[in-house]
């Protein structure tokens, strides 16, 4: 299991007691606004914006929360 993902990778994550699936849309490496909130990311601690297959909504997750499908 890797903590490095690239745009287009298909991943899964835990969401409200079940498992969600989606695609990585962006690697975030600086503090920015994404998915409706402020994301405190850095080059040393990146986060990933993902788009849910089911809802089409975007979310941001730390790499440890994502699992490559």
């Amino acid at each position: 299991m890797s903590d490095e993902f690239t745009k287009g990778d298909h991943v899964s994550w835990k969401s409200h007691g079940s498992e969600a699936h989606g695609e990585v849309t962006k690697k975030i490496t600086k503090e920015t606004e994404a998915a409706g909130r402020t994301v405190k990311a850095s080059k040393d601690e990146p986060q990933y914006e993902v788009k849910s297959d089911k809802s089409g909504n975007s979310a941001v997750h730390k790499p440890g929360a994502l699992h490559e499908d």
Side-chain angles (χ1 to χ4, degrees):
M1 175 172 52
S2 170
D3 277 355
E4 278 290 318
F5 301 96
T6 57
K7 183 177 179 179
D9 283 352
H10 203 263
V11 295
S12 61
W13 62 94
K14 297 289 182 198
S15 177
H16 306 287
S18 63
E19 189 171 68
H21 299 269
E23 185 176 304
V24 174
T25 57
K26 185 189 324 182
K27 180 178 183 177
I28 302 169
T29 57
K30 63 182 179 180
E31 186 171 326
T32 189
E33 294 287 324
R37 68 179 182 90
T38 300
V39 178
K40 296 187 181 286
S42 67
K43 287 187 179 187
D44 292 333
E45 294 186 23
Q47 295 191 38
Y48 294 90
E49 185 172 36
V50 294
K51 183 176 179 182
S52 169
D53 287 345
K54 185 175 182 180
S55 69
N57 292 336
S58 290
V60 177
H61 295 287
K62 292 182 179 180
L66 298 173
H67 305 283
E68 196 164 5
D69 283 349

